[in-house]
């Protein structure tokens, strides 16, 4: 017995030593990252972009967008089957993840799966910015920045949904002393990990013309904004996706901009909305692509060269205010088709709730029942748009080509794509729960014995197929990529 105890003690000491070493190495990497300048951060990312130039990530499977539909787990009866299959992801990680690369664990780009990346220069109109009083990134030109361009969702027969992501790198600062530790009143929207004021975060934003896309395939046909519009005639899938995104943020049609305005020793001042309007000469050139579907957006973007101004930047200072021109976006490099940009480069969604902490006067506006139906580049901000307002189809880009009409259809789709799972057992579970539900008429909120039995089977750790469907690295998640 003594030799066994000695061996076990030795193994324990070895494991603890290895773990300590790994933690020290991890802390060393974090400390190293926090001391890098914006220029060094961009150079590190750009070397990865150039390393796989010309490659692109494969498109997700047709069922891939189901991973975004976490609200499907709340559907009556069917929801438990979807939870059991474990195919959806927690969308809060797209707000809480603090790194520029890689993507959050278990996350995949399903709305903008492929795109091209370029280095850009944000050139502000300093007289205008001075009059507006914006701080942080808005206060001076930004030369250490990236743009990623790619359509949202799958192309449609007559058009697509142009989209842009922007990342601005910032120099390391030991502390942003003017930025208090905000405790968000979000309950379910609480981030996975607290925000640290001494992290060298790049700031990000994302822009679209419309979640339902445009008529035509030219990327530079319309203005893009970080405020989007809702729709009154949402499909089952669109409603499901909206509920899923609302689990991550109460404001799913926008991202925040307050982090762009972080500055020491002063409260931030920032716009309500930012929009990119295509430069007239760029839009005119890209008219030739209006009727030409593409395999990859690089087919269009390869015609742009470094030094070219591609967008005019507009901002709105508050809800329902007219947009003002405040600068330009110029290319510092050509665009690169890059697998790294598709699979590892992360553009964080910043909570608009943080903006409201600084600008509480906006809250009554954005909480009004009609506000988001009238918002967006295709609606309120269309006055600066260079083209006729014409959307295509009635399917949200979030759906990405997958548009189930019911929870039962989702389960049937899962059976088709994942035939190796024990679906006969699942059918029994559904029948048992349905019978229990019928028997529970007048039982209020109490679970019936049939429901409880089905739930115990769903949650049982002894499922022989657990390795196939449990965890972010499971076989099912691999198939859905």
């Amino acid at each position: 017995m003594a030799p066994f105890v000695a061996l076990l003690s030795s193994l324990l000491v070895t494991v603890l030593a290895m773990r300590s070493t790994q933690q020290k190495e991890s802390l060393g990497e974090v400390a190293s990252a926090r001391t890098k300048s914006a220029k060094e951060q961009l150079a590190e990312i750009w070397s990865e972009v150039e390393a796989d130039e010309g490659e692109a990530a494969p498109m997700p499977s047709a069922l891939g967008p189901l991973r975004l539909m976490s609200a499907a787990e709340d559907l009556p009866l069917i929801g438990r089957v979807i939870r059991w299959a474990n195919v959806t992801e927690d969308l809060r990680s797209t707000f809480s993840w603090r790194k520029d690369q890689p993507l959050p664990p278990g996350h995949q780009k399903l709305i903008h799966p492929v795109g091209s990346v370029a280095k850009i220069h944000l050139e502000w109109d300093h007289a205008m910015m001075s009059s507006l009083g914006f701080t942080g990134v808005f206060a001076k030109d930004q030369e250490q920045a990236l743009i990623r361009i790619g359509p949202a969702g799958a192309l449609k027969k007559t058009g697509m949904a142009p989209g842009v992501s922007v990342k601005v790198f910032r120099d390391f600062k030991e502390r942003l002393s003017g930025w208090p530790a905000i405790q968000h009143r979000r309950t379910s929207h609480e981030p996975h990990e607290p925000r640290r004021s001494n992290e060298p975060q790049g700031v990000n934003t994302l822009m679209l013309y419309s979640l339902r896309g445009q008529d035509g395939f030219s990327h530079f046909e319309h203005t893009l904004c970080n405020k989007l519009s809702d729709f009154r005639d949402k499909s089952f899938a669109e409603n499901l996706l909206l509920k899923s995104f609302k689990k991550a943020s109460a404001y799913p049609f926008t991202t925040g901009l307050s982090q762009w305005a972080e500055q020491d020793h002063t409260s931030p001042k920032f716009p309500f909305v930012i929009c990119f309007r295509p430069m007239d000469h760029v839009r005119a050139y890209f008219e030739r692509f209006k009727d030409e579907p593409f395999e990859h957006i690089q087919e269009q973007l390869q015609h742009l060269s470094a030094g070219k101004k591609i967008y005019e930047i507009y901002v709105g200072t508050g809800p329902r205010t007219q947009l003002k021109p405040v600068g330009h976006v110029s290319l510092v490099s050509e665009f690169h088709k890059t697998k790294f940009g598709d699979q590892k480069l992360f553009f964080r969604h910043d909570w608009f709730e943080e903006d409201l902490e600084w600008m509480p006067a906006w809250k009554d506006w954005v909480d009004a029942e009609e506000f988001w139906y009238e918002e967006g580049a295709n609606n309120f901000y269309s006055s600066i748009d260079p083209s006729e307002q014409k959307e295509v189809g009635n399917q949200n880009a979030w759906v990405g080509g997958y548009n189930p009409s019911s929870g039962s259809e989702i389960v049937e789709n899962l059976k088709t794509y994942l035939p190796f799972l024990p679906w006969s057992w699942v059918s029994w579970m559904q029948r048992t729960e349905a019978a229990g539900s019928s028997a529970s008429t007048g039982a209020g909120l109490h679970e019936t014995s049939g429901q409880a039995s089905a739930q115990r089977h769903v949650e049982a750790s002894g499922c022989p197929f657990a390795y196939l469907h449990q965890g972010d690295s499971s076989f099912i998640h691999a198939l859905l990529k």
Side-chain angles (χ1 to χ4, degrees), residues 128 131-132 312-317 321-327 384:
M128 177 63 77
S131 67
L132 295 173
E312 189 172 12
I313 306 173
Y314 283 75
V315 300
T317 57
T321 58
Q322 294 300 313
L323 298 178
K324 303 176 184 291
V326 295
I384 67 163

Side-chain angles (χ1 to χ4, degrees), residues 245-265:
F245 274 84
K246 281 188 173 181
K247 287 187 171 186
S249 171
Y251 302 95
F253 297 104
T254 182
T255 56
L257 291 171
S258 54
Q259 289 197 17
W260 282 54
E262 290 177 332
Q263 183 168 296
D264 279 346
H265 311 299

